[in-house]
Each structure stands twice: as C-alpha cells, then as structure tokens.
Amino acid sequence: EVQLLESGGGLVQPGKSLRLSCAASGFTFNNYAMCWVRQAPGKGLEWVSAIGGGGGSTYYADSVKGRFTISRDNSKNTLYLQMNSLRAEDTAVYYCSKEKLIVGARTYAMDVWGQGTTVTVSS
Amino acid sequence: DIQMTQSPSTLSASVGDRVTITCRASQSISSWLAWYQQKPGKAPKLLIYKASSLESGVPSRFSGSGSGTDFTLTISSLQPDDFATYYCQQYNSYLWGFGQGTKVEIK
C-alpha cells in the first residue's frame, strides 16, 4: 500500500525552528517528485515547496522562500521540511504529497497525501 | 506568479443536481490543472488531473474540462458523499498553486 506519514509538528515560539519529516512506503520513492502543502485553520490549501526525485531541484512559494528548506533522503525514503524563523502565519496543518506519474510522464498533480502534521507558532 | 480564481466560493445544491465549479488562471497553464475534494479533517483527494483525466477509482459523475486559462469541474448528479470542499490546483514554471476552494453545501 502506498503511504505517506508525516511527523515532527508541534508548538513552537515565533522565530524558532522545526523540522518536519514524511516517511514514504509502497512505491519507488526516488522516482517521484514530492511536495509540501499546508492549510491554516479554517483556510484553503497553500502549496509550500516541491523537490525533484533526485533531490537536486527545489522550489518554494514566495511566502517561505529563504526560511524553509525542502530535502529528501532517498536511502531512507524520507522527505523533510526544515522550517526556520517561524511566524504566527506559518501555523497550519502540513501535508506531504507525491506527484502522479503516467507511464513515467509528469502530471504535476498530487495523487497520494499524508494525514498531515500540525504546526502551531505561538508564544 | 499565476493567480487562480475559483468560483463560486460556496454552492448550495440538492442530491441529484448538476454542479459546475470554475477556475480561471491569470495566464495560460496549458492543461496543467487538477481538481481535489477535501472533507473536514481529512487530506485532499485527487479527482481530475491534466484538466480532464479522471483519477482511478473516482466515480464517472465527476468530469473536468478546459485548457489555457478556463477550467471546469462538473458533477453530473450530486450524491450525498459529494458534499465537501473542492480545490483546483495549477502548475506553471516550477510553481504550483491552489484556488480558494468551493464549499458544496446541502440545500
């Protein structure tokens, strides 16, 4: 079964750091680009960051650029999001997601999602 | 960055109704448009990818259309399980983005 399991969320003070992890199973992890998507309480979905299958290409939303770093360890089938200089507006449920491929071709859609991990930034 | 305008923000409908949700991109995104369904407390679920391709396991009452800047999600006959929030998602030039969401409520 294809599965993503996030961890690492919690309560953190403004200006501090947190690292999220996403453990993948049931598919060949290094073949797929991965994304982080967040959802603030009562709000819509916001794309945060993406990383290519090899880990060499990374992309960020303007709202987190320079503060967040996405990475992956393909030997451990794990995706990470290092979040620095956290702000109250970073409070959200953070989801990791896997890109859908069709016969190896990219679709830029996300077909598998984790259950989410909650990050609360507050003093 | 491309802006996605999704409408309506809320939609009241009855079981059996035909429902249409639209997304407009601020510039062309070819067919790189997906639709998701999200229920409270749950992760989003992929319904449609590449504007009109139905995800495996998704009922055929869901369909997508459009290309360029204007896209539509249609539910041909609304079922009780379909009351949820729907999001469009675009991709262009190494950036992804979501529409604001459409909540489909029971009339």
Side-chain angles (χ1 to χ4, degrees):
Chain A
E1 180 190 4
V2 176
Q3 200 168 13
L4 299 172
L5 185 63
E6 302 96 337
S7 60
L11 174 62
V12 61
Q13 294 178 331
K16 300 295 188 182
S17 299
L18 204 61
R19 188 176 84 156
L20 305 183
S21 299
C22 171
S25 59
F27 63 101
T28 305
F29 184 63
N30 61 8
N31 283 353
Y32 293 86
M34 300 291 294
C35 288
W36 287 99
V37 175
R38 68 185 181 183
Q39 187 167 36
K43 303 296 184 182
L45 301 172
E46 180 188 14
W47 173 75
V48 172
S49 184
I51 187 168
S57 302
T58 58
Y59 313 99
Y60 300 94
D62 286 344
S63 58
V64 305
K65 197 175 296 182
R67 300 187 300 124
F68 289 13
T69 302
I70 191 172
S71 63
R72 62 193 298 161
D73 185 336
N74 287 341
S75 69
K76 295 182 179 180
N77 288 352
T78 303
L79 175 72
Y80 301 101
L81 185 67
Q82 177 67 43
M83 304 185 294
N84 298 332
S85 303
L86 282 161
R87 307 167 179 167
E89 54 265 35
D90 296 318
T91 294
V93 175
Y94 285 73
Y95 296 101
C96 65
S97 60
K98 163 190 163 291
E99 184 184 354
K100 182 178 182 69
L101 297 182
I102 295 293
V103 199
R106 304 191 69 177
T107 68
Y108 305 104
M110 305 165 207
D111 64 346
V112 180
W113 296 66
Q115 85 291 347
T117 188
T118 300
V119 173
T120 303
V121 184
S122 174
S123 54
Chain B
D1 294 3
I2 292 179
Q3 304 304 314
M4 298 300 292
T5 303
Q6 186 174 340
S7 61
S9 55
T10 306
L11 188 161
S12 296
S14 302
V15 172
D17 284 353
R18 182 181 181 88
V19 166
T20 299
I21 300 168
T22 63
C23 252
R24 174 164 289 176
S26 57
Q27 64 187 75
S28 177
I29 56 170
S30 184
S31 294
W32 302 124
L33 192 286
W35 291 97
Y36 300 85
Q37 177 193 69
Q38 188 181 34
K39 296 183 177 180
K42 300 295 187 181
K45 173 187 175 183
L46 178 65
L47 300 175
I48 301 287
Y49 61 95
K50 285 184 69 178
S52 60
S53 295
L54 188 67
E55 173 68 347
S56 176
V58 173
S60 59
R61 63 182 179 272
F62 291 91
S63 64
S65 64
S67 67
T69 60
D70 294 311
F71 301 87
T72 299
L73 173 70
T74 299
I75 309 172
S76 60
S77 178
L78 198 65
Q79 297 302 301
D81 191 49
D82 301 339
F83 291 96
T85 300
Y86 294 84
Y87 294 92
C88 62
Q89 171 249 306
Q90 60 83 16
Y91 168 83
N92 182 265
S93 298
Y94 308 110
L95 295 174
W96 287 252
F98 289 90
Q100 303 93 324
T102 296
K103 185 175 183 179
V104 177
E105 299 180 327
I106 301 173
K107 191 172 185 179

